Amino acid sequence: MSETWKALKPYALITPQTLVFLMFLVFPILMIGVVSFWEFNGYSMTPAFTLDNYQGILTDVTLKTYLNTFKFLGLTWLATLLIGYPVAYFLAFHVPKLEWQILLFLVCTIPFWTSNIIRMISWVPLLGREGLVNQGLMGIGLTQEPLQFLLFSDFAVVLGMVHLYIIFMIAPIFNSLMRIERSLVTAAEDLGASGFQTFREVILPLSAPGIAIGSIFIVTLIMGEFVTVRLMGGGQSASVGKLIQTQIGSLQYPLAAANAMVLLAVTMLIIISILRVLDIRKEL
Amino acid sequence: MKKRPLSFYLLLAFFCLFVLFLYGPMITIFMLSMQGPDGGLTFPMRGFSFYWLGQVFQEQRVGNFIEPFVRSLLLGAAVMAITITASVLASMGFRQRFKGSTVIFYMTIASLIVPSILVSLGIGVVFQVMGWPTNWFTSGLGAHLTWTLPIAFLIMLGIFNRFNPSYEEAARDLGATDPKTFWEIVLPLIAPSLLGVGLLTFTLSYDEFTRTSLVSGQNNTLPLEIFGMTTNVTSPALYALGTLTTVFSASLILIAFFAYNAVVKRQRGQA
């Protein structure tokens, strides 16, 4: 009796959580797959097996939208890495006490827990036509007219995404930097390595898994992103997420579902390529 | 004091700029929400008052915020209760090896990294096909759980990793049953962590937008209401609402952090 209970206990314990994921994650995504083959007559969808929806999205517009999404992804990834790495490095190697490291890390983390919408709105008084940046630039005479590209543009979208998601790059890198044995750094220095050599030969390779995890987060966050594109982008800015959202808005579920399946496949492909280059198993 | 290398000062300056980048925009809307009654959406500030902060609580032309706020609070509380219960149970299940644990673990990770629009669309499709109406407390609740549950679960795994099992073994040796061991030994020991995880879960739900946006049904939660306002509100009331809700979230996080620290210190003092 007690032996059986011991073997069954973990299954009983994980049941509630597993049920939630089955109901609200696995089943819905399977349904997207199913519905993507259904027929759509302009008003409602009916169960069927047709490839029309997939053919319907094989257009120049979709291709352009994907290219635009990749552009956002590439720029945001590069910016979060180039800004996030030095920040994580500073916290891990230059802040002396553990209490201070945690406190400063918390300072970086707090905005992440607040509303994304509000964080995007806060850029308006800074970047708008009459915003602080334009007032400043015209004040010192650098520009005669307010710069238009600052808000409601692709530039603003990337800026907004970096602002919103950079913590997802910083946290994993910080985590892997903190795990590096400090004696390795000392050993490299004792053997005569310069600061840059130590960084390139010791610290960077050991923090690569952190970079990989951060990159995976950035990829999954950006690929389906539509809020930033809607709020910060001009009417022209397009992304796959926004496209899907528009199709859902007009109740074209099968078309949206087909798009979503392609999006999922593309996202998985990028993640798999990241995992082939960088091994993250040590971090898990 | 020991002399620091030049790279320290360069990185320190970079870090300060980064913090400014992170908080600068928020500070500008805090300032702009404290303007006089004839204030606008941009600088310079016109006067100084708490007029707009008060306006948030008045009936608005563009909608009112009290009802969405109450909805978000209720939803946050429900999400918190379910998340804590399910994640504590599941992470306790993961303390012993069992067949299929890898699959369950990867399912949890998947919930965290699947593009959020897929969750939203998927739940929307399921409700559409079943003919159920979407609602913030049904489909919306489910969408929130796919976001809060994996985060809480991963934190709970870390907490149980550092948990010393000898207390439980002692209780069991003295003849305590499993439930009794949990209520009298395990729960009191993890209580401060639960407080922290609970508040984090609550704020995640309170501020969630993308996963809820397509499945909230007729009645908006607060973030959705704010999103609707961005297109048609042209007064600092928008900033004032942003200020209030940000201060609310941030204080919950700070309370969680300091309460956790205080409890841990007290426990160490007793030991």
Side-chain angles (χ1 to χ4, degrees), chain A residues 169-192:
Chain A
M169 189 60 108
I170 293 178
I173 295 179
F174 176 63
N175 184 38
S176 59
L177 287 175
M178 290 293 279
R179 289 184 187 199
I180 294 177
E181 196 65 55
R182 296 302 134 125
S183 54
L184 289 176
V185 179
T186 323
E189 279 162 2
D190 289 349
L191 292 168

Side-chain angles (χ1 to χ4, degrees), chain A residues 4-14, chain B residues 92-93 96 172 178:
Chain A
T4 342
W5 166 236
K6 204 164 179 238
L8 286 178
K9 200 169 91 176
Y11 295 100
L13 289 171
I14 59 161
Chain B
M92 294 207 342
Q96 69 191 75
R172 247 179 246 127
D178 270 0

Side-chain angles (χ1 to χ4, degrees), chain A residues 32 36-37 50-66 240 243-244 247 252-266:
Chain A
I32 296 179
S36 70
F37 295 107
T50 167
L51 292 174
D52 287 357
N53 303 312
Y54 287 94
Q55 274 165 3
I57 57 172
L58 278 176
T59 59
D60 284 356
V61 178
T62 315
L63 186 69
K64 256 193 200 149
T65 313
Y66 267 94
V240 185
L243 184 69
I244 297 177
Q247 286 164 345
Q252 296 173 303
Y253 280 106
L255 213 55
N259 251 320
M261 289 324 276
V262 177
L263 172 69
L264 187 62
V266 171

Side-chain angles (χ1 to χ4, degrees), chain A residues 6 9 11 13 17 21 28 32 90 94 107 111 113-115 118 121-122 125 135 163 170 220 226-227 241 248, chain B residues 11-12 18 21-23 25 32 43 89-90 96 99 111 113 117-118 121-122 178 204 207 209-210 213 230 242:
Chain A
K6 204 164 179 238
K9 200 169 91 176
Y11 295 100
L13 289 171
Q17 173 165 322
F21 287 137
I32 296 179
F90 173 75
H94 281 295
V107 166
W113 303 100
T114 63
S115 167
I118 302 293
I121 296 171
S122 349
Q135 284 181 15
H163 191 234
I170 293 178
T220 58
F226 63 92
V227 186
I248 297 169
Chain B
L11 282 168
L12 177 66
F18 172 71
F21 165 71
L22 220 50
Y23 286 85
L32 287 173
F43 285 97
L89 290 176
Q96 69 191 75
K99 249 197 187 142
S111 186
I113 65 170
I117 194 160
L118 270 123
L121 169 66
D178 270 0
L204 278 182
D207 290 318
F209 177 83
T210 23
S213 62
T230 54

Side-chain angles (χ1 to χ4, degrees), chain A residues 226-245:
Chain A
F226 63 92
V227 186
T228 316
V229 184
R230 224 161 241 283
L231 270 182
M232 305 283 282
Q236 313 299 319
S237 300
S239 78
V240 185
K242 191 177 162 192
L243 184 69
I244 297 177
Q245 197 221 5

Side-chain angles (χ1 to χ4, degrees), chain A residues 24-25 27-29 31-32, chain B residues 117-127 215:
Chain A
F24 295 109
L25 180 78
F27 184 58
I29 289 181
M31 278 307 284
I32 296 179
Chain B
I117 194 160
L118 270 123
V119 174
S120 211
L121 169 66
I123 296 177
V125 164
V126 168
F127 274 65
V215 293

Side-chain angles (χ1 to χ4, degrees), chain A residues 65-81 154 157-158 161-162 165 169 214-225 229 238-239 263 266-267 269-271 274:
Chain A
T65 313
Y66 267 94
L67 287 180
N68 212 34
T69 311
F70 289 143
K71 185 181 80 185
F72 288 144
L73 175 61
L75 290 172
T76 309
W77 176 77
L78 200 66
T80 50
L81 182 63
D154 286 359
V157 173
V158 174
M161 286 176 175
V162 172
Y165 303 131
M169 189 60 108
S215 307
I216 290 175
F217 271 121
I218 296 290
V219 169
T220 58
L221 286 163
I222 307 288
M223 283 309 285
E225 160 69 61
V229 184
S239 78
L263 172 69
V266 171
T267 311
L269 221 64
I270 304 177
I271 293 177
I274 293 175

